[in-house]
Amino acid sequence: MTLRQPPAERTAGSVLLAVAALSVLAYFPSLQLPFISDDYIQIDLGRKYGPPAGWWDLFHDALYRCRATSLLLTHWTEQIFGLNPFAFRLTSLAIHIFNAGLIFALGCWPLIGWRVSAAAACFFAVYEGHQEAVIWYAALPELLVFSFSLLCCLAWVRWIGSNRPLWWAVSLGAFLLALLSKESAVALTPVLAAMLWIEGKNWRAIGAAVAPFAVFSAAYFALAYLSRSNHLHFNDGTFSLHAPFWVPWTRTIGRLFWFWGAASLILLWRWREAGLTRLLKFTAFWIAFMLLPYCFLTYMPRVPSRHTYLSAIGVALIAGAAFTAAASRSWQGRAWMVPALGACVVAHNCGYLWFVKYRQYVERAAPTEELVRHAQRATRPIPLDCFPYSRFVADATLRVRLGSFPPASWEEQAAAKSGGRCIAKTPASGLD
């Protein structure tokens, strides 16, 4: 395989500038949001595990050692910028822009090419389907596992094209960082094998190349499983290896493709683009495997939008291929149709984020903001029995904002509710 030569610096710079501008256009209203529920848990854990003195305890935490990179970044963000919601949200947006740029970099793989990767990166920048990962700071692990997973794949492509061991080692290093970002990184192992299979490698070569990745993945899972008695997600009902994974799997794939992904598939099927079969094979492998680890969650009939951030690469590549195919066709004097189509995609996704999702995030942030206001002027226990979030959110909120726990224990608060004001009687709208 011969790698595609990068586009001219001016062309590449224009694409990256467009990606950044589209990302800011889609998400700039969210930069003014306050912290939202689990954001406080993320910051509280960053304070606990982020400093070097907390790293040993982090290693022994069965759940959060798998999110080590996000906790370190959260700690450093607070150290530099203080408790400023704008700075935290800007950090998430900056990583999202970087991630979209990594999709553009996939153009070095001849299977994808620079034109498709450029269109895919622009689509991914504004695609509303994974908005929770960008807006909700507590979803930072999703952004970071994406970053290291794409860096792993890019180094893998360079290794396939050059056969230099250095690139294989870089790919393995990025894979290990992905494992320290989120458990879903284990799905990279079959994807890397699929990439070699698509490139025509024999099974012996594939097995030798991915064996270390498989060993690390197996050890990673075994370590979590052996610690399941102390692992929150094995005991709080949110995760089960016996869950009917095929139900959220199929529902979420359908949701991922609606609307623009489905329209792109229809156009590609109609035009029968040459060489498209291999790209569709890759996107099918990518979406299926990257989505699968999240399909063992039990608290929703579909995968929450933040967990589709990685798998959305497949949808973006299909949309990019469709847009590139449309741009290459003669429109009989109607060249305006292609930019008009792009404008429709941007307007639809941005409009949904601005006018529908933003309001939901405001509602979602209201209970913790009201809790802080009550705690600041409280002279007696605050009744929190109808607080829409868990006690862990309430405790973390008051620790982060006020440096203390709630004014009384939850048992005392429940007993003291008569005559007190209930906080946020109506649960906020869901984020998904």
Side-chain angles (χ1 to χ4, degrees):
M1 181 188 75
T2 302
L3 296 177
R4 289 284 180 89
Q5 291 298 317
E9 290 185 7
R10 185 172 180 178
T11 302
S14 298
V15 172
L16 294 175
L17 183 61
V19 165
L22 289 170
S23 299
V24 173
L25 178 67
Y27 290 104
F28 80 88
S30 67
L31 295 176
Q32 60 186 317
L33 287 168
F35 292 120
I36 302 171
S37 59
D38 287 22
D39 291 351
Y40 288 107
I41 294 180
Q42 177 73 18
I43 295 170
D44 195 37
L45 290 168
R47 292 177 176 182
K48 179 180 179 181
Y49 291 138
W55 291 355
W56 184 248
D57 292 334
L58 174 60
F59 174 76
H60 287 89
D61 191 308
L63 173 59
Y64 289 107
R65 67 185 172 213
C66 301
R67 292 156 173 76
T69 56
S70 68
L71 296 178
L72 292 176
L73 180 57
T74 298
H75 169 69
W76 293 334
T77 301
E78 186 180 11
Q79 290 296 302
I80 296 172
F81 300 104
L83 198 63
N84 184 347
F86 177 81
F88 284 82
R89 303 213 177 282
L90 192 60
T91 300
S92 293
L93 180 56
I95 298 173
H96 174 63
I97 294 171
F98 175 74
N99 289 342
L102 290 178
I103 294 178
F104 175 51
L106 283 173
C108 68
W109 192 12
L111 177 74
I112 297 172
W114 292 107
R115 295 182 67 192
V116 170
S117 70
C122 291
F123 178 85
F124 187 85
V126 299
Y127 177 55
E128 58 80 19
H130 54 233
Q131 36 72 32
E132 197 176 39
V134 185
I135 298 176
W136 198 13
Y137 185 77
L140 182 63
E142 305 295 340
L143 300 178
L144 293 177
V145 73
F146 182 107
S147 300
F148 294 119
S149 295
L150 259 290
L151 289 171
C152 172
C153 290
L154 286 168
W156 193 253
V157 168
R158 293 296 299 269
W159 172 68
I160 296 174
S162 66
N163 205 30
R164 294 177 59 188
L166 175 62
W167 286 114
W168 182 92
V170 171
S171 183
L172 181 61
F175 175 71
L176 295 177
L177 289 172
L179 291 177
L180 290 174
S181 301
K182 196 70 187 288
E183 297 91 339
S184 55
V186 297
L188 270 175
T189 301
V191 168
L192 296 176
M195 292 171 70
L196 290 174
W197 173 69
I198 290 172
E199 287 296 328
K201 304 296 183 182
N202 61 56
W203 289 108
R204 179 176 296 180
I206 293 173
V210 302
F213 294 82
V215 169
F216 278 115
S217 296
Y220 182 83
F221 176 79
L223 191 60
Y225 188 76
L226 292 173
S227 305
R228 64 188 181 279
S229 60
N230 299 318
H231 194 296
L232 179 63
H233 288 345
F234 277 98
N235 297 282
D236 65 355
T238 63
F239 172 87
S240 174
L241 291 175
H242 305 290
F245 66 90
W246 57 89
V247 175
W249 199 23
T250 53
R251 287 184 179 181
T252 306
I253 289 175
R255 196 163 179 246
L256 267 174
F257 276 90
W258 188 256
F259 163 77
W260 294 107
S264 298
L265 282 175
I266 292 172
L267 290 176
L268 292 174
W269 173 80
R270 180 179 178 182
W271 289 331
R272 305 292 203 282
E273 283 292 297
L276 186 63
T277 302
R278 295 171 69 235
L279 176 61
L280 291 178
K281 283 181 181 178
F282 172 70
T283 56
F285 274 113
W286 183 275
I287 294 171
F289 283 110
M290 288 304 178
L291 197 58
L292 185 59
Y294 297 107
C295 294
F296 292 90
L297 301 175
T298 58
Y299 57 87
M300 287 183 69
R302 63 180 184 272
V303 176
S305 65
R306 64 187 178 277
H307 296 324
T308 65
Y309 191 75
L310 251 179
S311 54
I313 294 175
V315 181
L317 289 174
I318 289 173
F323 191 86
T324 302
S328 65
R329 276 168 164 68
S330 172
W331 292 90
Q332 298 177 346
R334 299 177 181 177
W336 56 268
M337 291 183 66
V338 173
L341 176 62
C344 287
V345 173
V346 172
H348 170 258
N349 285 277
C350 290
Y352 187 72
L353 289 172
W354 297 348
F355 302 115
V356 177
K357 302 308 296 184
Y358 178 76
R359 183 177 66 254
Q360 293 181 3
Y361 284 103
V362 171
E363 294 174 359
R364 185 81 180 189
T368 45
E369 291 300 294
E370 189 173 352
L371 171 62
V372 172
R373 288 194 295 269
H374 277 264
Q376 287 174 331
R377 59 175 183 266
T379 58
R380 58 180 179 178
I382 304 172
L384 296 180
D385 56 300
C386 53
F387 186 66
Y389 306 129
S390 70
R391 64 165 296 172
F392 301 106
V393 172
D395 290 351
T397 299
L398 295 178
R399 268 198 301 268
V400 170
R401 294 286 293 274
L402 304 178
S404 64
F405 286 95
S409 70
W410 282 69
E411 292 77 12
E412 290 172 333
Q413 292 163 3
K417 67 178 181 179
S418 59
R421 180 180 175 186
C422 183
I423 295 179
K425 292 182 180 180
T426 304
S429 300
L431 288 183
D432 190 51

